Amino acid sequence: MTPLERIIREVIESEGPIPVSRYMALCLSHPEHGYYITGDPLGTDGDFTTAPEISQLFGELVGAWLVKAWHDLGRPSPVALVELGPGRGTLMADIWRVAKTDRAFAEATAIHLVETSPALRERQIETLGKLGARPTHHNDLLSLPEHAMLFVANEFFDALPVNQFQKLGDQWSERKIGFNGEGRFTFGLDRAASRLPKPVVGEVPNGAILEHSPAQDSMIMELAYQLREHGGAGLIIDYGSLEPGTGDTLQAIREHQRANVLDQAGEADLTTHVDFAHLASIAQAAGMPSIGGATQGDFLLRLGLLERAGQLGAAKPTDQQRAISMAVERIAGDAAMGQLFKVLGMASHPIPMDGLETGLWDR
């Protein structure tokens, strides 16, 4: 039994079954034993690998998009370059390496990272320090500077806690976590919790599960507020769907393998698929319509992924060219991240989602 499992058991014994969102929050963010608090989960020695860890191409193209967005928005100054959940700092380092080639952009920009993990903060400072960058860390969005913002959130929203509701007959009940007859964690239903927090689209079969994240709603509303009040643009990149739907997408990942969600609390990554249609609707209601959505593969290809990969591999040995090709397939291929991951763009004024013309690669 893990230390966090003992704490969760005490909570359930004291208060009764807990919502899925509270279980996720404790597992991921408990101040002493939370998964994201206790160490570095990324890479081959961790539990999962993100696109920036696979190839510099991902961060370079995201960085080029952010620079282009800054120009399209009239080159506001000063501007906060913000990443939510920046991991080891790999993505921001790739973004900054490209972005600082535009001198005017670099002079107008300061890096701000929203990160709660002490261990990851140290890695981010180390990674960005090699490029001469000094990030400012924040626990949340509320302490960001009150001026224009360019942001990216890659694999951030999927780890925000969700609640689950299940339809049985004509009634919706909330899924909660309690004990079974053997004293182990198990899912159950609270029939008193029948009020759905978000609309259901289309016909829903009996037994269907609807997921909703108040934390995601709050985050997207705060991002929309920042853009509406101060201007800017940003990208949300995660796995999920561009269309609304139902289903149990809660999963645990440990050592790059699926694990039981209710086992080894605090020692596995817990995530759900992001409902991008819902995020877009919340942003629009907050006065910030999205500027478009796409699969990650389409987004990267439209930004010139193949052209940049060819340039990066030019005159390289065959094995390095092959490695670049394999990385392109992993981050943009239909059988890999290319279709599963989606991109949602937001901006204070209409700007293109593609069409890079900055010539950053030649600098």
Side-chain angles (χ1 to χ4, degrees):
M1 182 182 297
T2 67
L4 187 56
E5 185 175 346
R6 293 189 181 93
I7 293 172
I8 295 173
R9 292 182 71 85
E10 292 174 0
V11 171
I12 295 174
E13 289 169 354
S14 173
E15 303 177 15
I18 60 176
V20 174
S21 61
R22 188 168 184 193
Y23 178 80
M24 286 186 68
L26 287 167
C27 286
L28 299 177
S29 304
H30 184 274
E32 184 177 0
H33 304 295
Y35 177 77
Y36 287 122
I37 302 300
T38 56
D40 181 355
L42 294 162
T44 55
D45 295 330
D47 293 314
F48 59 91
T49 302
T50 62
E53 302 289 337
I54 293 171
S55 173
Q56 70 185 71
L57 292 165
F58 181 84
E60 288 179 348
L61 290 170
V62 170
W65 186 89
L66 291 170
V67 174
K68 178 66 161 53
W70 180 72
H71 283 275
D72 289 340
L73 292 169
R75 303 180 15 147
S77 181
V79 61
L81 181 58
V82 179
E83 185 178 359
L84 284 63
R88 294 172 170 174
T90 303
L91 174 57
M92 183 54 74
D94 290 336
I95 289 172
W96 188 243
R97 193 176 60 253
V98 169
K100 71 178 183 177
T101 62
D102 186 315
R103 183 174 179 179
F105 179 84
E107 291 178 348
T109 303
I111 297 174
H112 296 265
L113 304 178
V114 179
E115 177 62 72
T116 58
S117 167
L120 289 177
R121 282 189 177 194
E122 291 182 6
R123 291 296 300 270
Q124 293 153 16
I125 291 172
E126 178 185 356
T127 299
L128 290 166
K130 295 175 182 178
L131 297 176
R134 295 182 178 181
T136 299
H137 280 102
H138 305 263
N139 288 322
D140 52 44
L141 298 179
L142 299 179
S143 60
L144 289 174
E146 295 184 352
H147 55 239
M149 172 179 70
L150 296 167
F151 78 87
V152 60
N154 180 61
E155 293 202 50
F156 175 79
F157 276 79
D158 66 282
L160 295 178
V162 305
N163 290 315
Q164 292 185 326
F165 301 83
Q166 187 167 17
K167 183 180 181 183
L168 294 177
D170 294 330
Q171 183 178 1
W172 287 90
S173 301
E174 185 173 3
R175 281 185 108 198
K176 293 188 174 180
I177 295 170
F179 303 129
N180 62 15
E182 299 175 350
R184 297 176 61 84
F185 291 149
T186 189
F187 288 101
L189 293 176
D190 182 354
R191 296 183 179 274
S194 59
R195 183 173 178 270
L196 289 180
K198 71 176 185 179
V200 180
V201 179
E203 293 293 328
V204 178
N206 190 45
I209 291 175
L210 180 75
E211 295 176 336
H212 172 254
S213 172
Q216 290 183 14
D217 285 3
S218 177
M219 189 65 64
I220 198 72
M221 284 190 287
E222 180 59 30
L223 288 170
Y225 169 81
Q226 292 273 359
L227 295 184
R228 189 182 71 235
E229 294 299 310
H230 308 297
L235 299 170
I236 298 171
I237 308 170
D238 228 311
Y239 58 90
S241 174
L242 295 173
E243 301 295 331
T246 59
D248 178 8
T249 70
L250 179 63
Q251 64 178 357
I253 300 293
R254 185 186 303 115
E255 297 179 353
H256 300 270
Q257 301 292 326
R258 291 284 187 95
N260 189 318
V261 170
L262 301 180
D263 286 347
Q264 301 297 305
E267 296 186 359
D269 185 30
L270 300 182
T271 65
T272 59
H273 286 206
V274 175
D275 183 344
F276 283 90
H278 178 68
L279 290 186
S281 70
I282 295 295
Q284 182 169 3
M288 188 53 52
S290 71
I291 56 172
T295 65
Q296 178 172 295
D298 286 346
F299 178 70
L300 294 175
L301 289 170
R302 281 157 41 192
L303 292 184
L305 173 63
L306 298 182
E307 293 81 357
R308 175 55 180 155
Q311 186 182 38
L312 191 63
K316 293 287 198 309
T318 302
D319 60 336
Q320 293 185 32
Q321 292 179 346
R322 186 179 300 112
I324 292 171
S325 295
M326 291 176 63
V328 167
E329 183 61 30
R330 287 186 67 186
I331 65 175
D334 288 349
M337 291 181 169
Q339 284 294 320
L340 178 60
F341 280 71
K342 310 300 189 301
V343 182
L344 180 68
M346 297 171 60
S348 54
H349 302 286
I351 61 174
M353 279 284 282
D354 55 7
L356 295 180
E357 299 172 352
T358 55
L360 293 174
W361 314 136
D362 301 325
R363 299 182 184 180

